[in-house]
Amino acid sequence: MRAPVSVIIPTLNAERALAPLLLSLFEGLDSGVIREVIVANGGSDDSTMMMAEKVGCLVVQGAKGRGEQICKGISVAKGDWLLILHA
């Protein structure tokens, strides 16, 4: 059985807050509850995207605006359940 939860994180220049958030998700990934972590970026000019890619997140790029970013993340999510987290 595949993990049921897709986590979607809309970001914009969130490098400081993203690291601790991603660390808090590792237990759910390891236990099989979280299927994927999707970082929906709105045009960051810091290391947000590099950090997310480095730890294995799926990174999608979209227009600025949380609503747009969340929709972009939802469009690629494969889980049965969606969890939207803000960094």
Side-chain angles (χ1 to χ4, degrees):
M1 184 167 117
R2 293 186 183 222
V5 179
S6 291
V7 177
I8 300 167
I9 306 169
T11 59
L12 179 62
N13 297 325
E15 69 181 44
R16 287 185 179 170
L18 188 59
L21 175 59
L22 293 175
L23 284 172
S24 72
L25 298 175
F26 285 147
E27 186 176 340
L29 286 162
D30 288 342
S31 68
V33 174
I34 297 174
R35 177 179 183 148
E36 61 193 344
V37 177
I38 302 164
V39 173
N41 191 52
S44 294
D45 58 12
D46 63 3
S47 64
T48 297
M49 292 187 349
M50 181 184 70
M51 182 185 311
E53 289 170 345
K54 191 171 189 174
V55 298
C57 297
L58 172 60
V59 176
V60 293
Q61 187 71 27
K64 284 184 184 179
R66 284 190 182 157
E68 292 290 327
Q69 291 166 246
I70 291 168
C71 287
K72 186 76 169 185
I74 290 170
S75 74
V76 299
K78 296 177 181 163
D80 296 327
W81 293 87
L82 303 175
L83 174 62
I84 312 299
L85 294 177
H86 297 281

